[in-house]
Amino acid sequence: MKKEAIILAGGFGTRLQGVVRDLPKPMAPVNGRPFLTYILDYLIDYQYEKVVLSVGYLHEKIVDFFGFRYKSMAIDYAVETEPLGTGGGIAFAMSKCAADNVLVINGDTMFKVDLTAFERFHQEKNGLLSIVLREVADVSRYGSVTTGNNYTIVLFSEKGVASGRGFINGGVYLIQQKLFEKYPMEGKFSFEKDLMEKLYKQEQFFAMASDGYFIDIGIPEDYLRAQKEF
């Protein structure tokens, strides 16, 4: 079966408005190319054949640029007529996927996870959800994720609750289609707050750590850093 991915590309880019105007965040130019092209190239390197772009704000600019194919990759669109949140956006985009397990990543961050290792991890654990964690020097800015035996998630901590070195949600997921079949949710909801953080005690959700390169262009200083590093 084809390897499929969802890219969450519907953000308003509020923090970038002073630097990039009239473009959705993933289309922000980095060295003369939309940031999204770097993400698609990364997925192609891991043999992903189809991507569903979860889009809303100024989605026409993405469609006009890419159409329905980028190099070897087919592109489909899940267009939100009103904001659905991360959960609603993922659930809607999932309806356009045929694979049993779908990769989900953000359109404004590059986290160079070894996807082959992550796919193997997810397959071995056979859970409804696997996520990738990043280790940071201080988790207080982000909220933290704690794992127990067999890499199961045992605790999500809110921002400011924990501090010091630890692991945070890196925003890279492998999700079984069965997750939304078992826990159907409609309309706008947060994947993190309304699904993961409510269900992890009754479902086995798994987490794998990665020290891969990470950058979030939604932060103006990191967007400027990307111009040098890419």
Side-chain angles (χ1 to χ4, degrees):
M1 183 171 284
K2 287 183 179 179
K3 291 169 68 170
E4 297 180 319
I6 293 166
I7 299 177
L8 301 178
F12 289 100
T14 308
R15 290 177 296 178
L16 274 188
Q17 285 298 316
V19 185
V20 178
R21 294 186 181 277
D22 303 320
L23 284 173
K25 273 192 293 185
M27 294 300 288
V30 174
N31 286 330
R33 313 170 36 187
F35 182 72
L36 188 53
T37 62
Y38 295 96
I39 297 177
L40 295 177
D41 285 337
Y42 163 67
L43 293 178
I44 288 170
D45 285 344
Y46 285 96
Q47 287 78 54
Y48 277 79
E49 298 172 74
K50 177 186 173 183
V51 66
V52 178
L53 300 180
S54 173
V55 293
Y57 175 69
L58 294 178
H59 67 273
E60 302 88 353
K61 304 231 172 178
I62 299 177
V63 177
D64 288 347
F65 185 90
F66 288 102
F68 293 89
R69 178 159 292 274
Y70 175 78
K71 296 181 180 178
S72 61
M73 180 178 281
I75 298 177
D76 199 354
Y77 297 90
V79 182
E80 299 176 13
T81 53
E82 57 184 45
L84 294 175
T86 50
I90 292 170
F92 180 29
M94 273 280 197
S95 69
K96 296 178 176 288
C97 296
D100 294 332
N101 295 277
V102 179
L103 179 74
V104 178
I105 59 178
N106 291 308
D108 58 357
T109 59
M110 174 65 83
F111 188 6
K112 288 202 168 180
V113 175
D114 180 341
L115 292 179
T116 302
F118 185 41
E119 290 157 11
R120 190 183 309 120
F121 174 89
H122 181 66
Q123 188 173 23
E124 288 172 356
K125 299 305 178 189
N126 195 32
L128 293 176
L129 169 67
S130 298
I131 78 174
V132 180
L133 305 180
R134 287 185 66 229
E135 188 173 15
V136 296
D138 185 6
V139 298
S140 61
R141 279 182 56 194
Y142 308 96
S144 63
V145 183
T146 306
T147 55
N149 294 333
N150 197 31
Y151 302 96
T152 55
I153 295 172
V154 296
L155 182 66
F156 287 99
S157 297
E158 298 280 343
K159 284 182 188 177
V161 173
S163 61
R165 183 164 291 277
F167 290 93
I168 64 170
N169 179 359
V172 176
Y173 310 108
L174 271 166
I175 304 172
Q176 280 199 45
Q177 290 269 11
K178 292 177 185 175
L179 178 64
F180 290 106
E181 294 169 9
K182 189 172 182 179
Y183 300 102
M185 298 186 185
E186 294 184 359
K188 181 178 181 179
F189 69 96
S190 163
F191 186 73
E192 299 81 6
K193 299 290 183 189
D194 299 320
L195 195 148
M196 284 199 307
E197 295 180 19
K198 288 187 177 176
L199 296 178
Y200 76 94
K201 291 181 180 178
Q202 63 196 74
E203 288 286 349
Q204 283 197 319
F205 294 159
F206 296 92
M208 182 191 94
S210 171
D211 60 358
Y213 173 84
F214 180 91
I215 195 163
D216 175 0
I217 66 152
I219 301 166
E221 52 268 34
D222 278 4
Y223 174 63
L224 297 175
R225 179 163 66 91
Q227 309 296 330
K228 300 175 184 177
E229 295 182 352
F230 276 62

